[in-house]
Amino acid sequence: MRISRTRRWAAAIISIAAIYLLLMIPSPSLRPAAGGEASPFVWDRDSYWSSLETGFVQARAMGCGVLDATVAGELSTLSLLATRLETDSMDSGHPALDTLQTVLFESAPLLAACPSRFSEYVSTFGRIRRALKVQSRHWDISSSSTRARLYRLLYGGRTAIEEIMIQAPEFAVRDVVIETEEPSVTPSATIQGVTIHSGDILVSRGGAPTSALIARGNDYPGNFSHIALVHVDDVTGHVSIIESHIEKGVAVATVDEYLRDKKLRVMVLRLRADLSQMQSDPMLPHRAATFALYRATSERIPYDFAMNVTEPSKLFCSEVAYDAYRSCGISLWSALSHISQIGARTWLAAFGVENFTTQEPSDLEYDPQIRVVAEWRDYETLYQDRLDNAVVDVMLEAADSGAVLAYESSKLPLARLAKAYSWLLNRFGAVGPIPEGMSATSALQNEWFSKRHHATRDHLSMMAGQFRQDRGYAPPYWELVRMARDAYWAANE
């Protein structure tokens, strides 16, 4: 009897050990082929950025009394260029656009040193952005040179504004900036001081490290990682936010729930009222939002980790807006986004991405069919955004050099059990500890990535604080990236 019981215990132990060893078998690593259809945008202007920083330091030393006339002249020139952009017809290679870019960048250090007329700079850039969107209707958006032109001016202008905000927080634009009152007849509601219409698109940036990876990990690194679509009921006025989350797929949130989820910035986009489709049917955005709301409430739509824009049974966040407007004959993202760097492709593949020509949230800002209506941002969240971006930029440099997304292999058996439990919950419509569509290994790699990001960010934050103490001003972004390289290796020794 004792021998039989001992054998049963031994068999049980051996079985458990065998299961544990099976669960310890690593998943095959995925390494996609290098991207050949596009190439990443590279500024390659380090010496120029340094010269701008030198100009800022000199401007601070001179004082605003001496610089007032120069600042006024730069703003006048910028306004004249904006007027020319609004009235003349220009192709993407027009030399006036080179001049515009130069004035945008070289006036920024002066405004950072003497920011009393910063609001004028912001409003002038708003005019420039609106006019560029009008001009680009006639440009070949699929052309790499055209994409680069729009990126240099629109993303570059945004960056210039935010550099000024970082250096002069007392003059920083806070809460919300209304850029244009794009007309709309769809049902509306007021959210934090902004009139939002049914069919508006909310582009935001989350606070998680993976949000920074989404924003930066494409050929045109940006500031946004998430997209949601607004529906306003035409009878009750109730606002629904339709979005897709990694954890649970497509879902509907109230305004409070949407805002409660940490966001470092939010931008409101609206379809242009002068589009031919909008002229024929001004309620088209509401119909698109109604379609999205119906799908979200009538069927279960998992998150699309593969980022496959041609298959609508699963949707990632960008596809929520794309799918809704496609149902009404509008194809958003006039040019698809590309992820061609091997480091970004490899790391994103580890999280389940299979398609590297897709729709990135940041790139929707450049779509000529879309107007930027308003944007919420403030100093505190902007500063966090910059730290996160610099860390991810450096981590992706390491990925290009062969750094891999690691994980704690000892946790793999428990993670696989958690995945099995999640699978069971998903069958009943509940959310488990590991998202549907994400493997146990990917979940552990995400945990590793987040820990590595936080450790590097902590080092970078201390280094940035020391920089400010030593020099008397906040480090501009190019300095943050340089320091982030040191912080990365210090955090990962």
Side-chain angles (χ1 to χ4, degrees), residues 174-200:
R174 296 184 182 276
D175 298 327
V176 63
V177 174
I178 308 295
E179 180 154 313
T180 183
E181 293 288 355
E182 184 68 17
S184 175
V185 299
T186 68
S188 65
T190 300
I191 301 176
Q192 294 194 338
V194 180
T195 301
I196 304 292
H197 284 266
S198 193
D200 282 358

